[in-house]
C-alpha cells in the first residue's frame, strides 16, 4: 500500500494510476455496464440497454466508447442488414469484475450505516 501512496505523491496526483482508473469507473454507468457484461456475457446494444434500464441510448453509447477506448469492452460489428453489433468484456474487463463485485458487496453491507452517519453528521452541523 505504501508503494501506491509513494507513486501517487511523486506523480503529484496527475499521473496516478488509481485516480485515473477511478475517474473512468466512478461515473454513473461504467461499473454497472461492466458488471452486467460480466454476468450476462456478450450482449447486443438493445439487450444491454434493457438490462440496465434507466440509461439513455446516448449515454450508453458514450460510456461503451469510453470502455472500449480503455480496452475493457470489445465492440464487434457484423456485416449484416440490419447491422448487428455485440459488446463483450475483454480479458482486462473480466479481470476487473471480481473487484467491482467486492466493492458492490461492500457498499450493500455498509450503506445503512453510511446513511445513518450522514444523518448524524447533518444533524450536528
Amino acid at each position: 500500500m505504501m508503494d501506491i501512496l509513494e507513486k501517487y505523491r511523486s506523480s503529484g496526483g496527475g499521473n496516478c494510476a488509481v485516480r485515473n482508473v477511478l475517474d473512468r469507473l466512478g461515473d454513473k454507468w461504467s461499473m454497472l455496464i461492466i458488471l452486467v457484461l460480466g454476468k450476462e456475457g456478450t450482449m447486443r446494444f438493445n439487450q444491454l440497454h434493457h438490462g440496465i434500464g434507466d440509461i439513455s441510448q446516448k449515454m450508453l453509447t458514450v460510456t461503451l466508447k469510453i470502455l472500449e477506448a480503455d480496452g475493457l469492452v470489445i465492440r464487434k460489428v457484423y456485416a449484416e442488414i440490419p447491422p448487428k453489433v455485440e459488446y463483450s468484456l475483454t480479458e482486462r474487463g473480466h479481470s476487473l469484475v471480481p473487484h467491482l463485485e467486492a466493492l458492490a458487496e461492500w457498499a450493500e453491507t455498509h450503506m445503512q450505516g453510511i446513511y445513518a452517519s450522514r444523518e448524524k453528521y447533518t444533524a450536528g452541523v
Side-chain angles (χ1 to χ4, degrees):
M1 183 65 159
M2 202 54 139
D3 289 338
I4 293 171
L5 188 55
E6 284 305 314
K7 285 180 185 177
Y8 174 76
R9 287 180 178 149
S10 67
S11 71
N15 293 324
C16 177
V18 174
R19 178 178 278 182
N20 191 293
V21 169
L22 288 177
D23 282 346
R24 286 290 216 192
L25 298 178
D27 66 26
K28 187 173 180 178
W29 301 110
S30 293
M31 188 170 147
L32 183 57
I33 290 169
I34 292 168
L35 288 171
V36 169
L37 287 172
K39 181 179 180 191
E40 302 295 331
T42 301
M43 298 178 79
R44 294 182 69 174
F45 183 88
N46 283 333
Q47 290 174 310
L48 190 52
H49 184 246
H50 293 299
I52 292 173
D54 58 347
I55 187 172
S56 71
Q57 288 186 351
K58 180 179 180 175
M59 185 53 63
L60 179 56
T61 299
V62 168
T63 306
L64 284 167
K65 285 181 181 183
I66 290 169
L67 294 172
E68 184 180 7
D70 284 349
L72 299 171
V73 169
I74 296 171
R75 179 179 185 260
K76 185 171 183 181
V77 180
Y78 295 88
E80 298 179 1
I81 297 178
K84 178 181 173 182
V85 179
E86 292 181 335
Y87 296 90
S88 59
L89 292 179
T90 63
E91 188 175 323
R92 183 180 304 146
H94 279 290
S95 73
L96 186 56
V97 171
H99 304 288
L100 295 180
E101 288 174 336
L103 179 58
E105 186 176 314
W106 181 91
E108 287 294 326
T109 299
H110 295 281
M111 203 63 239
Q112 290 303 316
I114 291 170
Y115 286 145
S117 294
R118 287 178 185 170
E119 280 185 36
K120 184 178 176 182
Y121 178 82
T122 303
V125 172

